[in-house]
Amino acid sequence: AIRAWTKGEILEIRNPESVRPWQHVLDSLRSYITLARKLVICSKVSNEYNFGPNSEDISSVRDVISNAQKFWSNAKVKINCNIPALKEANTLLLNSTKAKEELLISPVWNLQESIEKTIDWYLKDFSGEKPIELCLADIDKFEKKMKNHDEN
């Protein structure tokens, strides 16, 4: 989407109703870091976990792109079911129950926040801001919300 939109091109989607377990990269990284820490501290921790979104954040490609378009002006999308199909599942889900129960972790940013933060990052990068500064700012925002998230 970003590659197309930064070039002013139309994003072509072949399977708009495909469902995926969308999650911000910082939530994924937090999960892996938490697992790594617990593996060092506690030998009883399993080494096999799924890290994914909360069930309410599992959405279709159409919904995610529609939300992203709200933050990227002139973002154009075309549904093109004639694109040569790759063999892929219509629905991909992750069961993160084990990670939530044993590691006590769950996503900090919901899907809407994740989309907004991602699009904002790319818009700022596209306008010339330094990627490292954008990353550090997002990490700071994430950590602040994580503190509140973990306290609740």
Side-chain angles (χ1 to χ4, degrees), residues 13-54:
I13 299 175
R14 67 179 175 277
N15 294 317
E17 302 313 319
S18 290
V19 173
R20 299 292 182 258
W22 310 95
Q23 185 175 35
H24 195 279
V25 67
L26 291 178
D27 270 308
S28 298
L29 288 171
R30 173 185 181 237
S31 297
Y32 285 109
I33 290 169
T34 300
L35 174 58
R37 285 182 179 152
K38 292 196 178 194
L39 283 169
V40 169
I41 296 168
C42 179
S43 62
K44 294 180 184 178
V45 174
S46 170
N47 60 358
E48 297 173 0
Y49 294 92
N50 288 323
F51 302 123
N54 292 321

